[in-house]
């Protein structure tokens, strides 16, 4: 193949017209012959993310794409655009985000997030081995199935999108503490969600916790879950995170959909000696073997 390529390309440029374009491109890949010299125009399609301006799921994709060095174009849509035929042709579900790649369309934010991380495996965003890959998948599913619905069952009534129900809100708060306890216990032993560096699992957790810190993760909760605070502050300090999510806003006291909180905090808990303990807590040394939570 190299001999044939040299015969066609070494003497005169006009010989390239006798080669099929697909075969000529293969010659470029296997011999390193300059594509411009050959007169082959390689068309590259830009990755496009379709979203609205408020989607936190799109924010995690933008953070990951920036860290992975993936070129993309963001296309912002309005709510009425979701039902238009041209968008439904991309996603029949009429939902965002959607990623349009040179190979085709990708739906579902976690699938897109994995795709972005896999485009730059050398960054470690998807872990450094097959075990860590699976741990990342595990925590992405946990965020979608556990953290996300529980947290938004509290946030949505606070924002006034649904009429608050006392019993439902109390149940949501109990589930909230159960889920946060699971996350706190894991982060007590690990600086990051998986392995020894930032992954898309950390991004996925921190992006959703932005809502908690702004609305319902008050001072008493921050004292109760110092490892969660330490982890969130670590991820939120990343330049790529601040670029798309802004500065992390921390509420002094949690908001409530009611005039008074219908839940009493357990004040008998041991209070932290230093109120700013969560800011000063140093990440603990991790064990060599990742826990399978």
């Amino acid at each position: 193949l190299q001999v044939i390529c040299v015969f066609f390309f070494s003497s005169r440029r006009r010989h390239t017209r006798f080669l099929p374009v697909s075969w000529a491109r293969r010659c470029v890949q296997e011999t390193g012959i300059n594509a411009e010299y050959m007169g082959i125009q390689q068309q590259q399609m830009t990755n496009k993310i379709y979203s609205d301006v408020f989607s936190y799921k799109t924010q995690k994709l933008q953070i990951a794409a920036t860290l992975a060095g993936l070129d993309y174009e963001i296309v912002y849509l309005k709510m009425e655009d979701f039902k238009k035929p041209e968008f439904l042709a991309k996603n029949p579900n009429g939902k965002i985000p959607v990623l349009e790649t040179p190979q085709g369309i990708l739906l579902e934010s976690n699938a897109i997030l994995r795709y972005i991380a896999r485009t730059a495996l050398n960054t470690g965003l998807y872990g450094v081995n097959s075990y860590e890959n699976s741990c990342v998948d595990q925590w992405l599913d946990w965020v979608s199935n556990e953290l996300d619905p529980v947290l938004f069952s509290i946030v949505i009534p606070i924002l006034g999108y649904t009429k608050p129900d006392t019993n439902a809100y109390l149940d949501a708060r109990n589930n909230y503490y159960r889920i946060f306890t699971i996350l706190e216990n894991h982060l007590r032993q690990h600086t990051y969600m998986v392995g020894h560096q930032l992954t898309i699992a950390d991004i996925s957790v921190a992006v959703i916790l932005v809502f908690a810190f702004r609305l319902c993760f008050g001072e008493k909760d921050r004292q109760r879950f110092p490892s969660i605070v330490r982890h969130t502050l670590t991820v939120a300090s990343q330049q790529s995170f601040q670029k798309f999510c802004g500065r992390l806003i921390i509420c002094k006291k949690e908001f409530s959909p009611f005039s008074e909180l219908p839940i009493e905090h357990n004040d008998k808990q041991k209070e932290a000696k230093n109120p700013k303990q969560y800011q000063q807590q140093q990440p603990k040394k991790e064990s060599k073997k990742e826990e399978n939570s």
Side-chain angles (χ1 to χ4, degrees):
L1 180 60
Q2 290 179 348
V3 173
I4 296 175
C5 289
V6 171
F7 175 77
F8 274 102
F9 305 134
S10 61
S11 58
R12 294 183 182 181
R13 183 176 177 180
R14 68 173 180 269
H15 291 306
T16 58
R17 67 176 179 231
F18 298 108
L19 288 176
V21 174
S22 60
W23 197 79
R25 284 177 177 160
R26 183 183 169 196
C27 294
V28 173
Q29 296 172 354
E30 298 195 12
T31 64
I33 296 175
N34 187 275
E36 183 179 358
Y37 175 77
M38 291 173 54
I40 298 175
Q41 296 180 351
Q42 295 184 346
Q43 298 180 353
Q44 293 184 350
M45 177 181 174
T46 304
N47 296 288
K48 291 185 179 180
I49 299 177
Y50 295 86
S51 177
D52 64 16
V53 295
F54 303 110
S55 174
Y56 71 94
K57 294 183 178 180
T58 299
Q59 289 175 344
K60 68 182 180 182
L61 302 183
Q62 292 176 290
I63 296 170
T66 300
L67 294 174
L70 180 68
D71 292 331
Y72 70 94
E73 174 187 347
I74 185 76
V75 179
Y76 289 116
L77 304 174
K78 297 179 180 179
M79 291 293 293
E80 55 266 26
D81 295 330
F82 297 167
K83 301 303 179 183
K84 290 183 178 180
E86 52 268 31
F87 182 73
L88 292 174
K90 301 180 187 298
N91 185 359
N93 300 305
K95 296 180 179 180
I96 49 100
V98 173
L99 176 65
E100 187 174 11
T101 75
Q103 294 79 29
I105 299 292
L106 283 176
L107 312 178
E108 303 299 332
S109 62
N110 281 345
I112 299 172
L113 194 61
R114 292 182 177 100
Y115 169 83
I116 293 172
R118 289 179 180 131
T119 63
L121 291 175
N122 60 313
T123 62
L125 285 171
Y126 201 44
V128 297
N129 53 49
S130 58
Y131 175 73
E132 289 192 1
N133 297 159
S134 297
C135 288
V136 169
D137 289 336
Q138 164 190 287
W139 285 111
L140 291 180
D141 291 343
W142 183 82
V143 170
S144 296
N145 298 327
E146 302 290 342
L147 180 60
D148 193 324
V150 167
L151 184 56
F152 275 95
S153 64
I154 294 176
V155 169
I156 294 301
I158 291 177
L159 294 176
Y161 290 113
T162 61
K163 185 177 180 180
D165 177 84
T166 302
N167 293 331
Y169 190 77
L170 287 172
D171 290 340
R173 292 292 297 192
N174 290 333
N175 286 328
Y176 163 89
Y177 285 119
R178 176 181 62 82
I179 291 298
F180 273 59
T181 298
I182 293 173
L183 185 58
E184 172 70 18
N185 290 340
H186 178 75
L187 290 174
R188 281 177 183 172
Q189 304 298 326
H190 304 87
T191 303
Y192 297 100
M193 295 300 297
V194 177
H196 305 279
Q197 67 181 68
L198 186 76
T199 67
I200 54 176
D202 299 288
I203 297 172
S204 185
V205 169
V207 166
I208 190 67
L209 287 182
V210 165
F211 293 94
F213 275 77
R214 289 179 179 177
L215 298 172
C216 57
F217 200 60
E219 181 63 29
K220 290 185 178 181
D221 288 346
R222 295 195 292 275
Q223 292 180 7
R224 180 174 180 177
F225 304 111
S227 299
I228 292 178
V229 181
R230 184 265 305 159
H231 175 265
T232 306
L233 291 176
T234 299
V235 180
S237 66
Q238 299 287 325
Q239 184 177 358
S240 57
F241 188 96
Q242 295 181 0
K243 179 179 179 180
F244 300 107
C245 297
R247 180 177 59 87
L248 181 64
I249 298 175
I250 302 176
C251 63
K252 184 176 181 180
K253 183 179 180 181
E254 62 268 35
F255 292 89
S256 170
F258 306 94
S259 57
E260 295 181 0
L261 284 175
I263 185 169
E264 295 184 2
H265 294 280
N266 185 5
D267 293 328
K268 295 181 179 180
Q269 277 191 317
K270 184 179 180 181
E271 297 288 342
K273 295 181 180 180
N274 184 356
K276 297 184 179 180
Q277 177 184 4
Y278 60 89
Q279 293 180 340
Q280 300 175 355
Q281 183 188 15
Q282 298 296 324
K284 294 186 178 181
K285 189 174 180 181
E286 303 164 2
S287 58
K288 293 184 179 180
K289 186 176 180 181
E290 180 74 12
E291 277 191 2
N292 185 12
S293 300

